């Protein structure tokens, strides 16, 4: 039977990020995706593409979790955007009610359009309640700065140091993403497993962030883990998958493009 992977994340109405990107990634990688929606994000074309953010009622999140885990024996889950302390409480409680082989946490901390004070409360709750349950955490540069308490992450060495500090907060594996944010010609990501750091690199494709890259990377790691791949191989593959998706990105009327999860398979067939 097909392997299953579960995602608890926000809906992003244009399909570029969030739950939509996660489920597309699972499907591309041959894994049956099951999803629970935590919030609904709709970019606002009339207002600088800011995020209109609507949380889903905690009881409705609990209902979705009950349905998903009632039907399937899920043991690998990705956590994406949660958004409010009340959402974090219900997700942490639900996760804690069962055991997991892997909990992959993409620590999406802020969303354009939320109050900065709300973002701080969310950060604190995420760090206290969800981070301890994670086996793999995938912060970007900004999130790595907040979680590690480092003021600046400007180099590969800084990224490795941040990954070490975040590892000390509990998760067995830290994937700290430099992406296009660090200087240099390569987009680098660091995997730290408590003993050694492995650096994954790929030439940068443009200098702009592409929507859904972080979601897709973490979802691809999750899908590979669901298939039984080990963490280092899952991260190495996910990097190739997202790089191909960025190269094949989709443009629309927004000032940012979105990852195309079909890019990897398209590239394979071109190479064949
Ligand atoms: O890429 C981060 C992200 C995650 N989840 C949702 C989002 C976004 C960014 O827009 O909307 C729901």
């Amino acid at each position: 039977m097909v392997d299953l992977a579960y995602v608890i994340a926000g809906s992003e109405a244009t399909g570029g990020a969030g739950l939509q990107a996660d489920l597309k990634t699972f499907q591309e990688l041959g894994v049956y995706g099951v999803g629970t929606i935590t919030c609904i994000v709709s970019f606002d074309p009339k207002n600088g593409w800011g995020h209109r953010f609507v949380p889903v009622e905690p009881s409705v999140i609990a209902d979705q979790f009950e349905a998903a885990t009632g039907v399937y024996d899920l043991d690998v889950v990705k956590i994406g955007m949660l958004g409010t302390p009340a959402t974090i409480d219900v997700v942490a409680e639900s996760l804690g009610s069962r055991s997991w082989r892997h909990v992959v946490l993409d620590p999406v901390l802020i969303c354009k359009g939320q109050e900065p004070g709300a973002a701080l409360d969310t950060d604190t709750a995420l760090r206290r309640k969800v981070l301890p349950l994670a086996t793999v955490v995938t912060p970007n540069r900004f999130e790595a700065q907040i979680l590690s308490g480092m003021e600046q992450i400007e180099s590969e060495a800084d990224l490795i140091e941040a990954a070490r500090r975040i590892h000390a907060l509990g998760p067995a594996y830290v994937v700290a993403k430099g992406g296009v944010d660090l200087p240099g010609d390569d987009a680098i990501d660091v995997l730290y497993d408590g003993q050694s750091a492995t650096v994954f690199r790929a030439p940068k494709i443009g200098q702009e962030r592409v929507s859904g890259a972080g979601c897709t990377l973490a979802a691809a790691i999750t899908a590979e883990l669901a298939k039984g791949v080990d963490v280092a191989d899952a991260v190495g593959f996910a990097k190739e998958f997202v790089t191909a998706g960025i190269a094949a990105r989709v443009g629309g009327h927004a000032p940012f493009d979105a990852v195309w999860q079909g890019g990897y398979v398209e590239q394979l067939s071109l190479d064949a």
Side-chain angles (χ1 to χ4, degrees), residues 144-159:
Q145 273 176 215
I146 305 270
L147 291 174
S148 67
M150 287 168 66
E151 272 177 24
Q152 293 290 338
I153 297 179
E154 295 293 346
S155 64
E156 186 176 310
D158 291 348
L159 201 59

Side-chain angles (χ1 to χ4, degrees), residues 14-240:
T14 73
L19 191 88
Q20 288 87 342
D22 297 322
L23 292 176
K24 290 183 222 180
T25 301
F26 291 171
Q27 183 79 12
E28 272 302 323
L29 295 176
V31 167
Y32 184 95
V34 178
T36 284
I37 299 189
T38 55
C39 59
I40 299 172
V41 171
S42 313
F43 298 151
D44 186 352
K46 301 182 297 308
N47 201 357
W49 303 94
H51 296 188
R52 291 172 290 198
F53 165 81
V54 179
V56 171
E57 276 292 312
S59 66
V60 178
I61 297 174
D63 288 350
Q64 295 175 76
F65 185 89
E66 186 179 28
T69 56
V71 173
Y72 297 114
D73 293 325
L74 302 167
D75 67 352
V76 174
V77 59
K78 179 197 150 173
I79 312 297
M81 184 167 165
L82 299 177
T84 73
T87 304
I88 289 171
D89 280 349
V90 67
V91 169
E93 201 173 305
S94 300
L95 285 175
S97 70
R98 346 172 16 102
S99 66
W100 301 92
R101 190 156 54 85
H102 275 294
V103 175
V104 178
L105 172 64
D106 190 10
V108 180
L109 290 181
I110 50 158
C111 173
K112 280 197 282 179
Q114 273 187 289
E115 296 291 320
L120 191 64
D121 288 351
T122 304
D123 296 354
T124 308
L126 194 78
R127 185 195 290 263
R128 284 209 358 248
K129 299 195 170 150
V130 186
L131 198 61
L133 303 172
T135 55
V136 183
V137 62
T138 63
N140 63 22
R141 177 169 79 155
F142 171 72
E143 293 152 356
Q145 273 176 215
I146 305 270
L147 291 174
S148 67
M150 287 168 66
E151 272 177 24
Q152 293 290 338
I153 297 179
E154 295 293 346
S155 64
E156 186 176 310
D158 291 348
L159 201 59
I160 294 173
E161 177 57 23
R164 280 183 207 279
R165 292 189 192 191
I166 296 167
H167 184 268
L169 302 175
Y173 300 91
V174 180
V175 181
K177 302 175 289 188
V180 291
D181 293 342
L182 291 185
D185 293 335
D186 288 346
I188 59 165
D189 301 313
V190 166
L191 168 64
Y192 183 67
D193 64 5
Q195 303 211 307
S196 58
T198 309
V199 178
F200 297 90
R201 54 180 78 243
K204 282 182 184 168
I205 303 168
Q207 292 295 325
E208 299 296 323
R209 285 158 155 268
V210 175
S211 180
C215 302
T216 301
L217 183 91
I221 294 171
T222 307
E224 293 303 291
L225 294 174
K227 291 189 251 181
V229 172
D230 73 30
V231 174
D233 288 344
V235 174
F237 173 77
K239 172 88 174 162
E240 282 181 41

Side-chain angles (χ1 to χ4, degrees), residues 235-256:
V235 174
F237 173 77
K239 172 88 174 162
E240 282 181 41
F241 183 82
V242 78
T243 302
I246 291 169
R249 61 189 181 254
V250 178
H253 300 298
F256 43 83

